[in-house]
Amino acid sequence: MREIVPLQKLVYSFKAVAAKVETLVTFGLEQVSNGTRLILTHSGWEGLAEQSVFEMFEQGWDSQFLDRLRR
């Protein structure tokens, strides 16, 4: 864990074997009239050598994680 701000933000470092670079994942929470908005930022890809690894992670957030949260 890098940073925790209750009810606002959670930040942690992430290093996948395939990526070979440490990245930073930030979950921001924002109160809106009909619930809570999640703002997901996965940064630190500048040191990544292969674009295909980045694309693999981008698809993973959309198809696996975020869809589950929506349900």
Side-chain angles (χ1 to χ4, degrees), residues 4 6-7 9 17 19 22-23 39 41-42 62 65:
I4 298 173
L7 305 175
K9 181 170 40 171
V17 174
E22 185 174 284
T23 58
I39 303 163
T41 307
H42 193 166
D62 286 342
F65 182 75

Side-chain angles (χ1 to χ4, degrees), residues 8-44:
Q8 292 180 22
K9 181 170 40 171
L10 172 68
V11 182
Y12 67 93
S13 58
F14 177 78
K15 184 175 182 182
V17 174
K20 298 178 183 169
V21 65
E22 185 174 284
T23 58
L24 201 61
V25 179
T26 302
F27 293 100
L29 301 173
E30 181 180 305
Q31 188 175 1
V32 293
S33 61
N34 61 341
T36 303
R37 175 178 292 134
L38 170 67
I39 303 163
L40 170 65
T41 307
H42 193 166
S43 60

